[in-house]
Every structure is written in structure tokens, then in C-alpha cells.
Amino acid sequence: MNASDNTAEYLRLYEQMARIRAFEDNANQLYLSAKMPGLTHMYTGQEAVAVGLCEALETTDHITSTHRGHGHCVAKGAHFKEMFCELLGKAEGYCRGKGGSMHIADQANGNLGANAIVGGSAGIATGAALSAKRLGTGAVTVCFFGDGALGQGLLYEVMNMAALWKLPVVYACENNHYGEYTRTEEMAAGDLCARAAAFGIETHQVDGQDVLAVNRLARDLVARARKGEGPFFVLLDTYRWHGHHVGDINRAYYRPKDEEALWKETRDPILNFGKWLEGEGIADADALVEIGERVRREAAEAVAYAEAAAYPPAHEVDMHVYATPGTADRGRKELDHA
Amino acid sequence: MREITLAKAVNEAIAEEMRRDPTIFLLGEDVAEAGTPFKVLSGLVEEFGPERIVDTPISEPGFVGIAVGAALTGSRPIVDLMFGDFLFLVMDQLCNQAAKARYMSGGKLNVPMVLRTNLGATRRSAAQHSQSLHALVAHIPGLKVALPSSAYEAKGLMKTAIRDNDPVVIFEDKLMYQDKAPVPEEEYLIPFGEAAILRAGRDVTLVATSSMVQVSLAAAEILAREGVSAEVVDPRTIVPLDEDTILASVRKTSRAIVVDEGHRSYGVSAEIAARISEKAFYHLDAPVARLAAMDVPVPFSPALEDLTVPTADDVVAAARRMLRGEVRDAA
Ligand SMILES: Cc1ncc(C[n+]2csc(CCOP(=O)(O)OP(=O)(O)O)c2C)c(N)n1
Ligand SMILES: [Mg+2]
């Protein structure tokens, strides 16, 4: 493939990764300045995984995401304003402030939601794939999960069914080498890919810091899944730059500082892809700087917007529990006889 | 007396028991070097080693099942379940296996295990990290359920739980881990099924559990300034439940408000209110009132989340209405 023929696509890969980085830098800043309620998990460092996979999908395809979900959400086409509003618990957020960082869902773009239960979306992703097959929609589902989710039995139940029923689903395991404060080797016995292979699922390993490699593989697998050749399992080697969550600052006891430095300095997916673009003559340094500045401006504007936005009004608290309002007990925390 | 945090109290209880009884071991996610995300277990792996403070993969049903098997065969496991919300993942092992083994075996099998976990909203952690699910396990015969409301209770109840020969689920309020309270240096245990009267009063009984104990004590303080004398009763364990102490208090005050952070419908507040209504009906001057979490998943937005949990002001308002004789909706 001639690199320069795909200039627009390449620049989009770059820009989408830069958008995630800009989003996360702002989210982290909101936490540090005590403007964000609760905690959040940064996706920084793993951008090539979400972008490489999601850029192989159509808007009508589905993803399921994780507690570390901002990157998946942005990569699947979400807008900054609604995302930052959600992070701050504002009414204009994707979930009207009800979900927050760990539960952002973006129905319009096929994001079925982040999930605060590790492995909790494996069934949902597989169900979405079953539904697509039954309804003949042609949609493919990508199920994002971390190496830690390999501990969850649910994953093996649903991979078995997906294989039996040849479902259009790609299980994307983001191996960032840690689940919380524990290294993957201490949590997962044996060969990780062999687990999926045992069900007869075709498995692949790819460098999760190389957006082109991820995207090429993803395009191939998604096209094949659409033709009924799924499911697939992909193990992506990657790294989270920050702590497990924004508050995880002193982490040398479980993760060496020089390891962090090595990944940041030599395996930054955005920097490395930028160098490649320059080397291939697809973009010059100025163009890349311009992209970075543009997405950072966009993020800053969205943050300012979200900070000024309104919280949901009190009466929304018992909305959305059921499709039929009035199904729940009308008594709030207050006495219903008072 | 010295004051220590609730986290430290739990840590001490486990360490003391582990020193006493080598059959005790602890397992869960990030319990060893990390000492749990709430740092409750810091230092234990250094003292007891990784054979007794065991880090597990993120496999909750698996390690709860392993604890049941170990408990059946001479060990006394303590399971650390990082968030109470993860109870939904382990229900089969806890409720179908651990809870029923003694009964189904005609009393032959023993399951001396403790599952320690937490409850409580208003940490801005959204719907899957904020639930108070103690009613769920209290509903299942065979499980005991303890709800410490301060560092003092947390230590005494944990030690009793570890020595108990039945499966015990102990819920700590995650907002309270850094709260300090007086805790004696000397060893003590708090027996199960013994409520504590934390404040004596004449006009109204506030039966409060776990996170709602502080709320009710604060309410009692406000009410006292208005000349209303509220008695605050903390059951400490809801299975077994110290009915006698609760009923004696209600017979004295003739009014009862039950305050609990579980959901309102089909919950702990309903159970306690029902028992009072059944057994102290002719002593009551007003229907028993319940204050509980709203029947909604816990919302993330602070603007909404704070509406879902009873506050001291809510308790005060409920008590005022009750004392004014305002009874709406009651036939
Ligand atoms: C069922 C369940 N168990 C435990 C947790 C607590 N927890 C949140 S994230 C996490 C680690 C997940 O590791 P991994 O899947 O590798 O994702 P990463 O954080 O590395 O992106 C744990 C244990 C949880 N949210 N859900
Ligand atoms: Mg991981």
C-alpha cells in the first residue's frame, strides 16, 4: 500500500490519538485541581489500541469499554463537551451526570458503555454480536478489556458461546502489564492467547503502541467477522502512563520508575507515529504541531463549557430507573407517610 | 484512651487473631503489598508473609469458593472483597454454598469464614461502587451479618467474626476508614446479637446501622437542642438481631425511626420496622418510620447522589413530624 494514498486516514489516526491524549491531560488536571468528583482512570499511553481498533469500525458497529474507558469513547466518535460534562456530573453529559467517568455510554456512536466491573462487559459484547447476527445488521462488536479481566470466569463462558455460534465479536485484551497494583504474571497462569485458542478462536498478538499495526490487523479481522468468520481474540501489548487511577501517585513499590520512563520515552504511540508520518513525507512537523494545538484548544474549550454547565435538577434523581415512570416506590429517602 | 482509625482497628483485629490462630489466612485482590486500595491491610504481609496474606487474581467467585472449601477443611479464611458491589459476583458461592453447608449436612459441616467488604455512597463512585447490599445477604439463612459503626465496633466485631464457626459477612463503611474513635489497647470482643445504646432518650428511638449511626447521633444532638430526647440504638449485627434491646427502647419512647443506608424497599429498615410493629404495636404512638437510600441506582453526579442518602436533617425532620403527630398516608 502506498503510504501517501492514505494521507487522510493516517492523519485521522494521528489526530484521534492526539484527541485522547488532550482529553486525558485535561481530565487529570481537573482531578488535581479538585474540580472533578471522585476518581478516574487515565488511558494515556494506550491510545493506539483504541484508535487502531475503532478506526476499523463503522459508526453502527459496537464497542464495550472498561473503567479505563475515555480513550475508547473518544475513539468511537464521542464529543468532548458531553464527555467532560459527564465527568463533572453535569446535566449535559452523555448520561445526564448519572454515570460519570466509569459509565460513559454513547449510544449514537455505538459505545455500549464503560463498565466499573472488571470483565463486566464481556457478556454484553457477546450479546450485541449475537443480536447483530440474529437481526442481520452486519454489525461487529469489539469487546475491550484489560489483562486483569482474564481472571473473570464470565469471559470464558462467553468466548465459548461466541466460538460455538460463530459470532461477529473481537475480544481485545489490552495487556498493560498490571491490574491495579499487581503484575499480570502474578495473576494469569500460562499463555494468555492459549486461553482463547482453546475454544478454537483465532488469536493474534500485536504491538499495541503501533497504531498502524493495530489498525491493519483490526481492518482485516473486522471485515472477516462481518463475513461470519469470527470470533477473534487479540492481545495488545501496551502500557498505562499514569497510576491505576489519578490518585495512585506513589507507585514505585509495584512498578519501577525506569520501566515507566522507558515506555514513555521510547514507546509513545503518538510520538512514534508522528515520526513515521514525517519520515514518509505524509506530514511535516508543523502540521503535527498544528493538530496537537487544535485538539488541545478543543479540549480546553470543552472543559470551560463543562465547568460552567448546570447540574441535573433534583427531580431527575428518580428518573430513568424504569422505562415506565412510577414503577418504583414513590417514597424517597423521606418518610412516605410524612 | 488512645484513638485509632477504623482502618487501623480492622488491621489490628486481623493481626491479633492471626497471631493467635495459625489456621487463619486472608485472601483477596491487592491485599498484600498494596494492603488494599483503602490501605486497611498495610503491614500484614510483612508480618505474616504471602502464604497467609494471599493476593488473588480478579476472580471473585473463584476465591470465595476457595475460601468455602478451605473453611470446610480446617482453615479459617478471611476473604477481602474490595467493594460490597462485587457481592453480586459471588452470590452462588456465598449463598448457595457457604450459607447452606451446615444445614444441608445435618450439622456435620462447618464453614468458619469471614467475608469482609464495605458499603456506603456519597464517594462519587457511581452505581457499581456505592451500594449498601447488606440486606441481600441478611436475607439468606446461614449467613451472619455485622455492621460496625466506628473503629471500636470494627475491631470487636471483626475478632468475633473470625472466631465464629459460621460464615460472617462484615460490612465496613468506606467513608469511615479514616475516622478515629477510642479503642482500648487491651483485647476485647463484641458479641454478636448485642445492640448498643449509644445515646439514651425518652421521646423517640432512632434505630441506626453502620453509616447511619453518625447521622442519627448528629440528629439526636440537634433534636436535643429543641427539647426532644432521642435514643440511638445501634444493632451492630443484623443477623443475629438484638430484638430485645430495640423493643425495650421503643416500649419506653413509643416512637421509632429506623435509619439504614440500604435501599428502602424490601430492606433492613423494612425488616426492623416490621418487627417493631409486630412486637411493640400497642406501645407505639405513631407508625414506625423508615429512612433509607432511595430506590434508585446510586447516581454519579454530586447534585443527585446527595439526595439519595438520609442526612441528619432528614432524621430531624422525620422526628419532628412524628412528634407533632403528623401522619400522612397512614390509614
Ligand atoms: C469484578 C471487579 N473486581 C475488582 C475490581 C476493582 N478493580 C478495578 S480496576 C482493577 C484492575 C483491572 O485491571 P485490568 O483489567 O488489567 O485493567 P487496567 O486497569 O490495567 O486497565 C480492579 C481490580 C472491579 N472494578 N471489578
Ligand atoms: Mg491491566
Side-chain angles (χ1 to χ4, degrees):
Chain A
M1 166 159 69
N2 183 341
S4 51
D5 287 349
N6 298 301
T7 299
E9 275 169 30
Y10 290 141
L11 290 179
R12 177 155 169 94
L13 290 175
Y14 184 86
E15 176 160 338
Q16 284 294 78
M17 289 199 293
R19 292 184 81 235
I20 295 174
R21 182 76 50 96
F23 185 91
E24 293 298 53
D25 286 348
N26 280 275
N28 192 38
Q29 209 45 51
L30 282 169
Y31 171 78
L32 292 175
S33 55
K35 287 180 181 158
M36 186 174 57
L39 290 172
T40 185
H41 307 82
M42 298 280 95
Y43 196 72
T44 314
Q46 304 185 197
E47 294 90 347
V49 174
V51 172
L53 277 152
C54 289
E55 281 298 304
L57 297 175
E58 305 294 332
T59 305
T60 45
D61 290 325
H62 290 117
I63 63 165
T64 62
S65 169
T66 69
H67 58 286
R68 198 175 302 290
H70 304 162
H72 311 134
C73 193
V74 171
K76 196 69 176 65
H79 300 296
F80 279 178
K81 267 188 192 167
E82 287 89 332
M83 285 185 72
F84 279 119
C85 280
E86 192 58 39
L87 255 60
L88 297 184
K90 302 298 180 73
E92 287 177 76
Y94 270 113
C95 311
R96 295 203 67 76
K98 286 203 162 89
S101 163
M102 281 203 291
H103 301 287
I104 296 188
D106 174 13
Q107 176 85 6
N109 285 306
N111 179 355
L112 297 177
N115 207 306
I117 300 299
V118 168
S121 76
I124 295 169
T126 310
L130 175 65
S131 177
K133 184 170 176 176
R134 285 174 52 85
L135 301 175
T137 64
V140 172
T141 303
V142 172
C143 177
F144 288 102
F145 56 94
D147 47 287
L150 292 168
Q152 292 286 324
L154 174 73
L155 180 65
Y156 304 98
E157 298 187 12
V158 299
M159 285 201 300
N160 183 47
M161 285 184 264
L164 284 172
W165 303 339
K166 301 197 171 11
L167 299 183
V169 53
V170 178
Y171 297 101
C173 179
E174 299 187 62
N175 182 11
N176 61 10
H177 303 279
Y178 295 85
E180 277 191 356
Y181 319 111
T182 303
R183 279 191 69 81
T184 310
E185 299 84 82
E186 295 169 34
M187 295 197 290
D191 179 70
L192 304 186
C193 283
R195 295 161 176 235
F199 299 113
I201 295 177
E202 184 179 313
T203 67
H204 295 268
Q205 287 193 53
V206 64
D207 178 358
Q209 304 308 88
D210 180 346
V211 72
L212 263 189
V214 175
N215 188 245
R216 280 194 190 121
L217 177 65
R219 281 173 191 274
D220 176 48
L221 298 183
V222 168
R224 288 175 55 202
R226 246 189 256 296
K227 287 192 290 185
E229 293 175 30
F232 299 102
F233 179 95
V234 184
L235 185 66
L236 302 110
D237 194 46
T238 186
Y239 203 76
R240 61 164 157 82
W241 280 18
H242 291 265
H244 170 61
H245 56 67
V246 281
D248 174 25
I249 306 292
N250 300 319
R251 51 183 180 267
Y253 76 92
Y254 75 87
R255 198 170 84 162
K257 284 203 166 118
D258 48 352
E259 178 188 292
E260 292 187 359
L262 192 73
W263 278 84
K264 278 193 187 184
E265 282 155 25
T266 67
R267 306 202 59 196
D268 179 341
I270 301 179
L271 202 71
N272 289 354
F273 188 53
K275 280 187 207 150
W276 183 84
L277 290 173
E278 285 183 47
E280 295 288 318
I282 298 167
D284 58 23
D286 288 347
L288 299 181
V289 169
E290 195 274 322
I291 291 174
E293 281 172 359
R294 180 154 43 78
V295 298
R296 275 197 296 278
R297 263 198 314 277
E298 192 198 338
E301 279 164 24
V303 167
Y305 183 89
E307 284 187 55
Y311 284 110
H315 74 266
E316 292 200 5
V317 70
D318 60 356
M319 270 168 73
H320 312 124
V321 183
Y322 298 97
T324 336
T327 308
D329 175 24
R330 293 304 312 279
R332 300 200 174 179
K333 62 182 175 175
E334 294 188 19
L335 306 158
D336 67 355
H337 71 254
Chain B
M1 200 186 298
R2 67 170 183 155
E3 298 208 337
I4 60 173
T5 63
L6 190 145
K8 175 85 175 121
V10 172
N11 188 303
E12 279 188 6
I14 293 171
E16 286 173 19
E17 292 303 299
M18 287 186 72
R19 277 174 214 134
R20 187 185 55 77
D21 180 350
T23 67
I24 300 169
F25 72 100
L26 185 145
L27 75 174
E29 292 154 19
D30 279 317
V31 293
E33 278 77 17
T36 78
F38 296 103
K39 302 292 168 207
V40 175
L41 304 181
S42 297
L44 294 186
V45 74
E46 284 76 6
E47 176 172 356
F48 299 103
E51 301 286 313
R52 292 184 74 193
I53 304 290
V54 184
D55 268 341
T56 64
I58 310 172
S59 307
E60 290 85 358
F63 64 72
V64 172
I66 284 171
V68 179
L72 285 168
T73 52
S75 296
R76 299 186 84 88
I78 304 170
V79 175
D80 182 289
L81 192 67
M82 196 184 291
F83 282 88
D85 310 69
F86 306 160
L87 274 170
F88 288 122
L89 284 94
V90 308
M91 286 310 255
D92 175 66
Q93 298 304 307
L94 188 63
C95 300
N96 275 330
Q97 314 302 338
K100 296 176 174 46
R102 177 184 307 284
Y103 190 81
M104 293 192 303
S105 68
K108 301 247 164 44
L109 296 174
N110 233 6
V111 189
M113 66 179 269
V114 177
L115 188 145
R116 64 168 288 267
T117 189
N118 52 38
L119 57 67
T122 68
R123 254 181 105 246
R124 317 310 181 205
S125 306
Q128 296 172 345
H129 280 67
S130 307
Q131 298 169 87
S132 299
L133 298 177
H134 43 300
L136 219 64
V137 284
H139 189 65
I140 305 303
L143 301 176
K144 294 180 177 172
V145 183
L147 302 175
S149 61
S150 77
Y152 175 79
E153 272 82 19
K155 181 166 182 187
L157 291 171
M158 177 61 78
K159 287 175 69 94
T160 305
I162 293 171
R163 295 185 194 189
D164 200 284
N165 283 331
D166 285 313
V168 177
V169 185
I170 183 159
F171 289 85
E172 294 148 13
D173 173 7
K174 54 180 115 61
L175 277 178
M176 252 193 280
Y177 280 125
Q178 296 314 318
D179 288 1
K180 289 189 172 178
V183 173
E185 307 262 4
E186 318 75 66
E187 172 162 78
Y188 66 97
L189 281 84
I190 297 177
F192 282 4
E194 268 190 28
I197 297 175
L198 297 176
R199 180 180 175 121
R202 295 178 314 272
D203 301 326
V204 57
T205 298
L206 307 177
V207 183
T209 62
S210 181
S211 51
M212 293 296 110
V213 169
Q214 291 304 326
V215 164
S216 298
L217 286 170
E221 193 61 42
I222 299 170
L223 287 166
R225 281 186 243 129
E226 301 175 4
V228 175
S229 158
E231 179 146 304
V232 179
V233 181
D234 173 6
R236 303 200 288 198
T237 55
I238 51 172
V239 182
L241 181 69
D242 180 358
E243 247 180 44
D244 292 347
T245 301
I246 295 169
L247 293 175
S249 172
V250 174
R251 287 190 188 109
K252 181 175 70 173
T253 63
S254 308
R255 295 178 190 89
I257 301 174
V258 187
V259 198
D260 175 81
E261 202 180 332
H263 291 299
R264 184 185 148 81
S265 292
Y266 308 99
V268 170
S269 61
E271 175 63 26
I272 296 175
R275 293 210 203 182
I276 296 171
S277 301
E278 284 167 357
K279 297 181 182 171
F281 184 76
Y282 294 108
H283 296 270
L284 289 171
D285 285 346
V288 181
R290 282 183 284 155
L291 287 169
M294 287 177 69
D295 286 337
V296 302
V298 179
F300 166 72
S301 182
L304 300 181
E305 186 179 26
D306 288 344
L307 302 173
T308 66
V309 180
T311 61
D313 286 344
D314 294 330
V315 179
V316 169
R320 281 185 194 139
R321 279 193 295 263
M322 191 174 271
L323 280 140
R324 279 201 303 264
E326 282 179 31
V327 179
R328 229 186 285 158
D329 283 0

